[in-house]
Amino acid sequence: MTKLHITHEWSSYDDSIAEVGETTARVGIFLDNYCLTKNHDIFSKTIRDQIHVSLYPLAMWFASSWWRLHYEVLPDSARKTPPHDWRMSHEMTAANMGFVWPQIMFSPDNESVQVWAQASQGHKEEAVRFLNGLDHAFSVPKDQFTRETASLIIDVIARLHEVGCKDSDLATIWGFISEDLKNPTEHNKRRLEAVLGFDPESCPEKIIMQAIDLEEKIGTDSFSELAGAYALDADNRLNAIQSLIQAEGLEGNPDDILVFNVESVTREPWEFAVLAARELRKRLGDTLGPLENSSLYSLLGLPAAGFKDWLPAGRAKASVAGPDGHGKMKFIPRRVHPVAQRFELARFVGDYVRAKWHTPEAWLVSADLSTARQKFQRAFAAEFLCPINSLVEFLNGDFSEPALEDAASHFLVSERTVDSLLMNNGYLPRYTTTYGMPYSVAS
């Protein structure tokens, strides 16, 4: 995984707000050796890796957004830009206070913190134009993100102490955070508040208690995923989740062949998923061809006839499966189209395989999110249904649109799945419509 580094060299000046002037510095933000603050200064006509800003607003932003940066996942942004308060807690430009910040966005999941970045867009004249962006999200280990951001906050507080500013708002906020981090009960409360999109101590106690009950039932990771899936239903989020898991479903009994381990030196979810999909193919004795629907039903112990006749109630924002209380599992799918149903079943298979390594008793959750868990599922399902080596052999060098349509029909997957597999493996060029961000942002 990638590491986040924030460097600074103090360069104070007189300002009406002492905390701002005394913490001015040359600041660089890096992912490994890639500089996200590389900029063109219009006035000095120079290109630099550092920006000349005050670290106080940045440290205040990290501290004020601490819990949400660590626990609030990115909602499904393909259909709608996240709400304003989510963006204020996850986009660095919200640090503001009159300084120009790079368009960097942080979004956590249960394994890492994902980082997106966008270079300055458009032709608007700005004092500073940022030159580097990212063409996809990079994952930073959550503990490393924590250490780096905490170090920045502590350095700014120490700097303020040196110049006589001992009672800053930053020091007060960090004091509260430090106390809550040491207290398991308060830590858990702050975490749940953030998962549900609340700032510290702003979530009604009734909602916290309902969240605790739900989380105990479906598992911490699964609760976080469903909270993200239903984030845009903020006023009724917990009731929507409760209704989903209580809905009628199909009885299944997953095959023991799905319980296995995969050795891997990588921590990237999609790479791990591909290894798992290939291992399961080997265990099935079929490493190349298209999979029959009957194989997918059999792996999950689902009745073929029941699944074919299944009609979801309403438009759920996630598919789930959990214990039915009788030693089996209740599956609640949401897809209707036959090709989409196959992909959904394969995602259930992947999530079950993954759950047996991570959280064996948790509910399975398949949603339209960009978390590590959902990336694992999508990568697993794509490779499991349409192995890249078999796909390339089938195409035989022909990557025209008709050939890709034939491949999708042959493997019974969507054309989007074929495109993604070929792009992710370097056979087709990548393309993006958001210039390195998961949703459109103002230039």
Side-chain angles (χ1 to χ4, degrees):
M1 283 192 177
T2 307
K3 289 187 177 181
L4 173 70
H5 301 287
I6 305 175
T7 65
H8 62 274
E9 300 173 6
W10 298 120
S11 175
S12 298
Y13 74 100
D14 289 331
D15 190 277
S16 58
I17 303 175
E19 291 89 343
V20 172
E22 295 291 357
T23 59
T24 299
R26 294 285 181 186
V27 179
I29 302 174
F30 299 83
L31 289 181
D32 289 340
N33 294 320
Y34 185 72
C35 182
L36 297 181
T37 46
K38 190 179 186 68
N39 69 91
H40 178 208
D41 188 315
I42 302 299
F43 295 127
S44 64
K45 298 181 180 179
T46 56
I47 293 177
R48 298 190 177 98
D49 283 346
Q50 291 79 27
I51 50 176
H52 194 219
V53 294
S54 171
L55 272 178
Y56 186 76
L58 183 59
M60 276 289 289
W61 178 75
F62 275 123
S64 300
S65 307
W66 182 268
W67 299 104
R68 296 179 71 167
L69 282 171
H70 280 79
Y71 296 110
E72 185 184 24
V73 303
L74 172 67
D76 176 14
S77 58
R79 297 176 179 84
K80 187 176 181 181
T81 299
H84 177 73
D85 70 307
W86 191 96
R87 295 183 63 183
M88 290 295 289
S89 297
H90 296 269
E91 293 182 21
M92 185 180 287
T93 52
N96 205 346
M97 288 190 73
F99 296 94
V100 181
W101 302 98
Q103 186 65 261
I104 301 174
M105 194 270 278
F106 301 97
S107 172
D109 55 41
N110 293 306
E111 299 179 8
S112 63
V113 174
Q114 298 177 87
V115 183
W116 283 266
Q118 177 176 279
S120 296
Q121 302 295 313
H123 304 287
K124 184 172 65 175
E125 286 296 323
E126 297 172 319
V128 174
R129 290 186 59 80
F130 294 99
L131 304 178
N132 285 346
L134 301 170
D135 60 4
H136 63 280
F138 281 72
S139 296
V140 173
K142 185 174 281 189
D143 57 352
Q144 196 273 327
F145 174 83
T146 299
R147 288 194 303 270
E148 192 68 12
T149 51
S151 176
L152 173 72
I153 294 168
I154 292 169
D155 282 355
V156 172
I157 292 172
R159 174 70 172 180
L160 292 173
H161 273 242
E162 289 176 3
V163 298
C165 298
K166 297 183 179 180
D167 299 318
S168 66
D169 290 341
L170 178 63
T172 300
I173 294 173
W174 184 243
F176 289 139
I177 293 172
S178 300
E179 289 177 8
D180 288 341
L181 287 171
K182 296 174 185 176
N183 184 320
T185 300
E186 292 302 308
H187 189 166
N188 191 51
K189 187 175 181 180
R190 297 289 92 80
R191 178 183 62 81
L192 282 172
E193 289 169 338
V195 166
L196 294 172
F198 289 93
D199 292 324
E201 299 186 351
S202 65
C203 182
E205 190 67 22
K206 180 181 178 180
I207 293 179
I208 288 290
M209 298 309 297
Q210 186 181 359
I212 290 172
D213 290 342
L214 261 176
E215 188 176 69
E216 287 179 353
K217 182 173 184 178
I218 65 178
T220 300
D221 289 4
S222 297
F223 179 76
S224 175
E225 301 283 326
L226 285 176
Y230 283 91
L232 300 182
D233 297 351
D235 294 337
N236 194 40
R237 189 184 322 203
L238 294 183
N239 290 335
I241 295 172
Q242 189 77 53
S243 296
L244 175 64
I245 66 175
Q246 290 178 342
E248 293 294 322
L250 298 170
E251 183 180 88
N253 189 17
D255 196 304
D256 288 341
I257 197 174
L258 300 181
V259 182
F260 62 90
N261 292 317
V262 174
E263 296 294 332
S264 174
V265 296
T266 179
R267 293 182 63 185
E268 296 292 356
W270 50 89
E271 294 174 343
F272 209 5
V274 169
L275 294 177
R278 291 174 179 173
E279 175 61 24
L280 182 54
R281 278 276 194 160
K282 288 180 183 177
R283 292 167 70 86
L284 292 173
D286 181 0
T287 59
L288 297 175
L291 278 178
E292 298 290 337
N293 284 348
S294 57
S295 296
L296 294 170
Y297 300 143
S298 177
L299 286 171
L300 295 172
L302 286 169
F307 192 85
K308 289 177 182 177
D309 297 334
W310 170 259
L311 285 176
R315 287 192 172 275
K317 295 184 178 179
S319 308
V320 296
D324 67 356
H326 305 288
K328 296 184 179 181
M329 295 186 72
K330 177 180 72 171
F331 286 82
I332 308 173
R334 59 178 171 142
R335 302 302 185 192
V336 176
H337 191 280
V339 171
Q341 283 184 341
R342 279 173 56 82
F343 202 77
E344 182 175 53
L345 286 173
R347 287 185 67 172
F348 270 136
V349 170
D351 204 35
Y352 187 86
V353 169
R354 181 185 179 278
K356 290 304 175 182
W357 306 329
H358 292 259
T359 49
E361 303 304 320
W363 279 56
L364 308 182
V365 176
S366 175
D368 302 323
L369 301 173
S370 63
T371 61
R373 181 174 180 175
Q374 304 305 320
K375 288 178 180 178
F376 179 97
Q377 288 179 30
R378 288 190 284 268
F380 177 95
E383 179 65 22
F384 189 56
L385 295 176
C386 184
I388 183 62
N389 292 335
S390 300
L391 173 60
V392 171
E393 182 179 349
F394 178 87
L395 292 170
N396 193 28
D398 182 359
F399 298 105
S400 64
E401 186 172 342
L404 301 187
E405 291 173 353
D406 289 344
S409 178
H410 176 73
F411 289 100
L412 295 177
V413 295
S414 68
E415 292 174 39
R416 181 178 180 181
T417 296
V418 170
D419 283 345
S420 295
L421 278 164
L422 294 172
M423 284 190 290
N424 291 339
N425 287 276
Y427 291 97
L428 289 178
R430 284 184 177 272
Y431 58 86
T432 177
T433 59
T434 54
Y435 302 96
M437 298 292 279
Y439 49 83
S440 178
V441 297
S443 60

